[in-house]
Amino acid sequence: MRVGITGATGYVGSILRATFAQQGHEVIAFARPNRATSASAAAMAGVAEWRPYEIKRPPSGAAFSDLDVLIHSAWDLSLISAGDVWGVNVSGSQHLLRNAADAGVRRVIFISSMSAYKGTRQLYGQAKLACERTASSMGGVSTRLGLVYGPGWAGMAGALRKLTKLPVTPLIGARSHQFTVHEADMAAAMVRIAESDMPLPEPVGLANPEPVPFRRLMNEIAASQGRTLRAVPVPSQLVSCMLRAGEALHVPLPFRSDSILGLVHPAAEVPGVGQLKQLGIRFRSFSLDGDRR
């Protein structure tokens, strides 16, 4: 297949780009021009073509007319205000999804998040939900990724890993949980969904359906580095206020204030487990035994 991937230089996009190429598919990588030109030789391997792409300026359908599959992974995480998130991420994603459908792309896949569920108070989750509705209306597939972990240690898992290196780790959402997915399982599931013609009108969660208690998650992340977690529970409201103050001052931060809501108020369950089983898709239980470094 000819598979287009937006956000192809990001954490998830890079994993998908490499996996689809390894499976023998022709990868068309969509990325910001400066990201594409600075890509390393290793990153270039397996990519048939790089095409310029910015989420705030979605290309016309002509950019996708030669694709069998388009996976929309791009998302500008630097945006904080609702106006910016809706004006750039949501609007840009919705235009891209419609343009791809109009161009006749067989399978259009939107990368969503387990933070996107009915009733979520998180801006990120609400924005992803809006894009899911657009994807569903034009026959696309929405895949809600759990907390992605693995040897790459980037994204939210990477940020949590950095917290465990502190002398004392502030434990946010100590009584909450997360649904997790290993990098390799996430990528394998995406390949299977892309290759399949099975209708998936409702969002499907790419995560093991067993919730992982947050304290256990942090303990294992610390142990994977040969450390013992020394944690102190901290009120999420206090952390959110501190992060919002930092954002107002444009201070570089490991988390967005909005991200705290995703840690403290996670989804209750993983959607679409039965449908994915029909495709032979399953996800390993959370373990870092093979990802210690």
Side-chain angles (χ1 to χ4, degrees):
M1 301 182 299
R2 286 177 62 84
V3 180
I5 302 173
T6 69
T9 57
Y11 175 42
V12 169
S14 296
I15 296 169
L16 295 179
R17 190 184 71 219
T19 301
F20 274 92
Q22 290 166 3
Q23 294 296 315
H25 299 297
E26 191 174 357
V27 175
I28 312 300
F30 291 81
R32 294 176 185 175
N34 61 322
R35 295 282 184 89
T37 55
S38 63
S40 65
M44 293 291 286
V47 176
E49 182 183 348
W50 287 89
R51 294 181 185 176
Y53 169 77
E54 292 185 73
I55 194 167
K56 61 184 176 181
R57 299 186 183 90
S60 67
F64 314 121
S65 60
D66 60 341
L67 302 179
D68 299 299
V69 175
L70 176 67
I71 301 172
H72 181 39
S73 175
W75 198 264
D76 190 342
L77 292 170
S78 70
L79 304 176
I80 297 172
S81 73
D84 287 342
V85 170
W86 243 258
V88 176
N89 284 325
V90 176
S91 178
S93 296
Q94 290 174 332
H95 278 88
L96 177 138
L97 294 169
R98 293 189 185 106
N99 290 347
D102 290 343
V105 178
R106 177 185 64 80
R107 192 69 133 170
V108 178
I109 303 173
F110 173 63
I111 299 289
S112 188
S113 165
M114 284 297 296
S115 293
Y117 60 88
K118 185 177 180 181
T120 182
R121 291 181 283 170
Q122 187 189 34
L123 175 61
Y124 176 70
Q126 293 169 353
K128 288 285 189 177
L129 273 177
C131 296
E132 285 184 2
R133 288 191 287 269
T134 299
S136 177
S137 69
M138 34 71 61
V141 177
S142 292
T143 55
R144 294 180 181 173
L145 271 56
L147 180 71
V148 182
Y149 71 96
W153 284 112
M156 177 57 76
L160 294 176
R161 187 172 188 255
K162 290 177 182 177
L163 281 183
T164 65
K165 294 181 179 181
L166 297 173
V168 178
T169 299
L171 199 60
I172 310 160
R175 298 180 181 178
S176 68
H177 63 265
Q178 288 292 304
F179 293 103
T180 61
V181 59
H182 191 277
E183 294 173 3
D185 293 349
M186 179 275 296
M190 290 296 298
V191 171
R192 184 70 187 95
I193 291 170
E195 292 175 339
S196 170
D197 289 319
M198 177 180 169
L200 293 170
E202 298 296 327
V204 292
L206 303 193
N208 184 281
E210 177 186 355
V212 180
F214 192 69
R215 185 179 286 275
R216 177 197 158 198
L217 179 79
M218 296 298 282
N219 275 323
E220 292 207 23
I221 290 176
S224 72
Q225 304 166 82
R227 301 173 64 89
T228 299
L229 184 72
R230 294 179 175 85
V232 175
V234 178
S236 59
Q237 297 91 336
L238 174 63
V239 177
S240 293
C241 288
M242 294 174 64
L243 290 174
R244 283 196 294 270
E247 289 166 352
L249 296 171
H250 304 288
V251 176
L253 298 167
F255 295 97
R256 291 170 292 118
S257 58
D258 187 56
S259 299
I260 301 302
L261 286 173
L263 295 176
V264 178
H265 301 290
E269 60 183 4
V270 177
V273 174
Q275 291 174 294
L276 293 183
K277 283 184 177 180
Q278 292 180 45
L279 289 172
I281 296 173
R282 288 175 173 77
F283 303 98
R284 72 190 74 179
S285 297
F286 177 68
S287 172
L288 294 176
D289 289 341
D291 298 291
R292 298 177 184 273
R293 54 154 101 165

